[in-house]
Amino acid sequence: MGETINKKDEVAMNQIWREAIQKEMKYSRPNEEFRLIPKSMTILTDKPQHTDPFQARRKLLDSAASVDVHPDLKRTLDNTSKGPIDKYDGPMTEAQEIGWYNNPLMPLKQKTLSSCDITRYAAAYATSIGRSPFANPEAVTKK
């Protein structure tokens, strides 16, 4: 009796496998939507032995004259160069919420730097004498 319990029934095992595959096929759905991701595209060139450089140049010049780009490809390529604010209506993560609506309420005004009397004197002295008034005079004369 112990031998019949331990002995594997090939027909039963095959039936279990078949049911598992049928269940998987019932709930799985293949992804039929093609999506182009330009960052992951790899462009392979022809082998050097199979190309004619003159023909490749003619083809390049002809294709540059009449470039017909598929609208979906053009939209995808244009979309990759945009920032997240231009791509999406709102922030996609909580971390993006911090800087998403970061438009200044009022324009920033540039303040001009004003200089005091000592700064103006030092600038005039440096242009007339050729050295800073705060420089060590002994270091200049030892040269």
Side-chain angles (χ1 to χ4, degrees):
M1 186 169 180
E3 291 181 17
T4 58
I5 294 173
N6 291 333
K7 187 177 180 182
K8 294 182 180 177
D9 186 12
E10 291 295 326
V11 176
M13 296 296 283
N14 196 12
Q15 181 64 28
I16 293 171
W17 179 254
R18 188 178 309 117
E19 289 173 3
I21 295 297
Q22 287 174 351
K23 187 176 180 182
E24 183 178 333
M25 295 299 286
K26 179 181 176 183
Y27 293 111
S28 70
R29 185 174 51 114
N31 185 9
E32 296 175 352
E33 180 182 332
F34 175 75
R35 180 176 289 176
L36 177 68
I37 304 172
K39 290 183 180 179
S40 65
M41 285 179 32
T42 55
I43 299 172
L44 299 175
T45 58
D46 291 335
K47 294 181 180 179
Q49 300 89 340
H50 295 286
T51 60
D52 180 18
F54 299 111
Q55 181 183 10
R57 179 163 172 76
R58 283 191 298 269
K59 188 186 296 183
L60 180 67
L61 292 174
D62 292 342
S63 67
S66 62
V67 176
D68 293 334
V69 179
H70 194 271
D72 291 338
L73 175 62
K74 183 167 177 43
R75 187 174 352 104
T76 304
L77 291 174
D78 291 341
N79 201 17
T80 57
S81 63
K82 293 180 183 176
I85 294 175
D86 298 331
K87 284 184 190 179
Y88 309 111
D89 295 334
M92 302 304 286
T93 62
E94 288 188 24
Q96 287 180 343
E97 289 178 5
I98 295 169
W100 195 268
Y101 305 106
N102 192 14
N103 296 332
L105 299 175
M106 296 176 61
L108 298 175
K109 295 181 181 178
Q110 293 287 336
K111 293 184 178 181
T112 57
L113 296 176
S114 60
S115 57
C116 63
D117 294 337
I118 297 171
T119 308
R120 286 192 296 268
Y121 169 76
Y125 186 88
T127 55
S128 63
I129 303 295
R131 65 178 177 88
S132 171
F134 308 109
N136 188 359
E138 296 174 3
V140 175
T141 58
K142 289 182 180 178
K143 285 184 180 180

